[in-house]
Amino acid sequence: MNASFPDSAANSLGRSRARTALIVVDVQNGFIDGGGLPVKGGAEVVPVINRLASVFENIVITQDWHPPGHASFAVNHAGRSPYEMATMPYGEQVLWPVHCVQGTEDAALHKDLHLPTAQLIIRKGFHPGIDSYSAFEEADRKTSTGLAAYLHARGIDTVYVTGLATDFCVAWTALDARTAGFTAFVIEDATRAIDLDGSLDKAWAQMAAQGVGRIQSAELIG
């Protein structure tokens, strides 16, 4: 497929399908109702992302992939509770409920997510002592996932980010995409947020300041 996306101010920088990628962030059971770290309305992104997939040649999926003893889990810090802050060697860290443990059903992609043309799965957060929100770089801001090099090697210059959660892994992915030199958009209705103490508004402000576009799926698929 070599057709261009529909005309839109929001996607005018990403017309060529061959140079554009859809990044689907952490649409896993762990972030859906009943999961270890449920995001309100998380399952609602699945049909939107499935529709979006039909207009992208290049699709990348990410998965949180934590060992049981991961440093971001509150249970691994004596006397600490989920959603408290802790100081790690790499900076401040939210302590989370146990979620997306490697090889468990909680870590599996949602059963209704249908992305048969996806070409790459990035698993992140597998280093025991470092969390990893971004698809591009872990929370120590030093350890690369290799995604930027992969996309650059493919000639991709524009990414559209979807998935869970807007204010954490989606935002960090979009911001790091900009740092790595990509044009980046977040498709708002294909994301859902945790919104921890105002984190959603803060994330949108940070993304706007760094030139991340904020669009709706209808601007790509009608």
Side-chain angles (χ1 to χ4, degrees):
M1 296 185 296
N2 294 311
S4 295
F5 288 124
D7 284 340
S8 163
N11 61 49
S12 62
L13 295 177
R15 292 174 183 274
S16 171
R17 293 185 189 225
R19 300 183 66 181
T20 303
L22 179 70
I23 302 180
V24 179
V25 176
D26 298 357
V27 183
Q28 298 166 260
N29 293 330
F31 299 115
I32 306 297
D33 287 344
L37 178 50
V39 178
K40 185 178 180 179
E44 296 169 2
V45 305
V46 174
V48 182
I49 291 170
N50 288 346
R51 291 194 298 271
L52 284 163
S54 67
V55 298
F56 283 89
E57 287 185 2
N58 304 297
I59 301 174
V60 174
I61 298 169
T62 76
Q63 281 180 282
D64 252 15
W65 201 249
H66 298 306
H70 196 260
S72 71
F73 293 167
V75 71
N76 295 321
H77 298 263
R80 305 301 297 273
S81 299
Y83 307 108
E84 290 184 5
M85 298 298 297
T87 301
M88 301 293 188
Y90 54 83
E92 292 300 299
Q93 169 71 50
V94 180
L95 296 180
W96 300 111
V98 174
H99 65 281
C100 298
V101 172
Q102 298 168 356
T104 66
E105 187 64 19
D106 201 62
L109 297 171
H110 190 279
K111 64 180 178 58
D112 295 329
L113 192 66
H114 186 63
L115 303 173
T117 60
Q119 300 145 344
L120 180 69
I121 295 176
I122 293 283
R123 285 177 167 168
K124 57 190 182 62
F126 55 82
H127 291 114
I130 310 171
D131 207 3
S132 186
Y133 298 145
S134 171
F136 289 92
E137 193 172 72
E138 298 193 8
D140 63 355
R141 316 314 288 156
K142 296 177 183 178
T143 306
S144 172
T145 67
L147 179 57
Y150 170 85
L151 295 174
H152 284 308
R154 296 282 309 279
I156 291 165
D157 58 21
T158 302
V159 298
Y160 289 80
V161 188
T162 65
L164 305 170
T166 319
D167 40 344
F168 286 93
C169 296
V170 169
W172 283 51
T173 294
L175 289 166
D176 281 356
R178 294 291 296 133
T179 299
F182 298 96
T183 299
F185 299 94
V186 169
I187 306 174
E188 184 174 13
D189 60 320
T191 72
R192 292 294 185 275
I194 294 173
D195 201 11
L196 184 64
D197 297 326
S199 57
L200 180 58
D201 286 345
K202 181 180 178 181
W204 281 122
Q206 290 174 329
M207 288 189 282
Q210 295 302 315
V212 176
R214 181 177 182 174
I215 65 169
Q216 306 300 316
S217 63
E219 296 177 57
L220 298 178
I221 56 178

